[in-house]
Amino acid sequence: MSEVILLSGSPSEHSRSHHVLQYIGSLVEAEGYRIKHISIRDIPKEDLFLGRYDSPAVAEVSRTLEKASGVIVGSPVYKAAYSGVLKALLDLLPQDILQHKPVLPIMTGGSPSHMLALEYTLKPVLATLKGQTLKGVYLLDRQIDRKLENPIVDEDVLNRAKKQVQYLISILKKQEAALNASYL
């Protein structure tokens, strides 16, 4: 069974982006894929701050991402970009860690004016790591209710998110079919 990694780039304990990421993960899980959560909060702060490439925690994240079939990355917008701690982690990972993996980026922010942060900050760094970056989803804070199991309260945004999940699933299934065909 294939595994999809949920990578949360939020340093906040009660993060909207993390909550949305968990919900999106449940949609992927409902399609028969295993989900594994990785949060930047799980990485020792010293490893991130000091850029410890040889950290056991960073090495474990690398191994997990290497084995994954796909990745969903979520981050809040801070100063028109993804979180700095997510950047610190991504900087420590191998240059091609996401090669041949579909990657669904998700960002949350307080203003529509930060919508392009997805296009101009997060997607380029994921592409640099060789990820096959999907269109992604940007959600406004007001479109999220953390008290609900499905936190996406705006129907249009929910439909876009579900469409992106289905696109991710279709890519994963094509990759699985190609892999199975290569064994025949």
Side-chain angles (χ1 to χ4, degrees):
M1 181 186 291
S2 297
E3 186 172 67
V4 175
I5 305 304
L6 304 179
L7 178 57
S8 176
S10 178
S12 173
E13 186 175 345
H14 304 289
S15 164
R16 285 179 189 87
S17 60
H18 182 74
H19 201 66
V20 168
L21 195 60
Q22 288 179 310
Y23 173 71
I24 297 292
S26 74
L27 297 177
V28 173
E29 199 168 35
E31 294 287 336
Y33 293 87
R34 283 191 323 251
I35 296 298
K36 180 163 183 157
H37 299 263
I38 298 174
S39 172
I40 53 96
R41 293 175 48 84
D42 300 333
I43 311 297
K45 295 175 197 107
E46 300 81 23
D47 292 349
L48 295 172
F49 183 74
L50 297 173
R52 292 184 178 148
Y53 290 88
D54 57 351
S55 153
V58 172
E60 179 59 29
V61 169
S62 292
R63 281 190 296 275
T64 301
L65 288 171
E66 284 172 354
K67 291 187 278 183
S69 298
V71 181
I72 304 172
V73 179
S75 177
V77 174
Y78 293 128
K79 305 290 185 203
Y82 53 90
S83 70
V85 287
L86 177 59
K87 173 70 167 140
L89 174 61
L90 295 175
D91 284 349
L92 298 175
L93 298 175
Q95 186 70 22
D96 60 353
I97 193 72
L98 300 176
Q99 190 165 12
H100 306 300
K101 296 179 194 332
V103 181
L104 174 56
I106 297 172
M107 291 187 84
T108 61
S111 166
S113 64
H114 293 297
M115 188 178 296
L116 290 177
L118 184 69
E119 294 296 326
Y120 294 118
T121 65
L122 186 54
K123 287 172 74 171
V125 77
L126 297 174
T128 298
L129 296 170
K130 308 289 190 270
Q132 298 173 8
T133 309
L134 281 64
K135 185 175 183 178
V137 181
Y138 179 82
L139 298 99
L140 295 171
D141 291 345
R142 68 177 180 259
Q143 297 169 326
I144 303 166
D145 186 344
R146 290 179 293 208
K147 297 175 190 142
L148 301 175
E149 186 176 324
N150 169 5
I152 305 172
V153 296
D154 183 282
E155 194 168 330
D156 289 337
V157 175
L158 177 61
N159 289 334
R160 280 198 320 262
K162 286 181 175 180
K163 187 175 182 178
Q164 286 297 295
V165 167
Q166 287 306 311
Y167 187 54
L168 173 70
I169 297 300
S170 71
I171 293 170
L172 293 173
K173 287 184 179 183
K174 285 178 187 174
Q175 289 178 342
E176 290 166 4
L179 185 61
N180 290 335
S182 70
Y183 286 125
L184 297 177

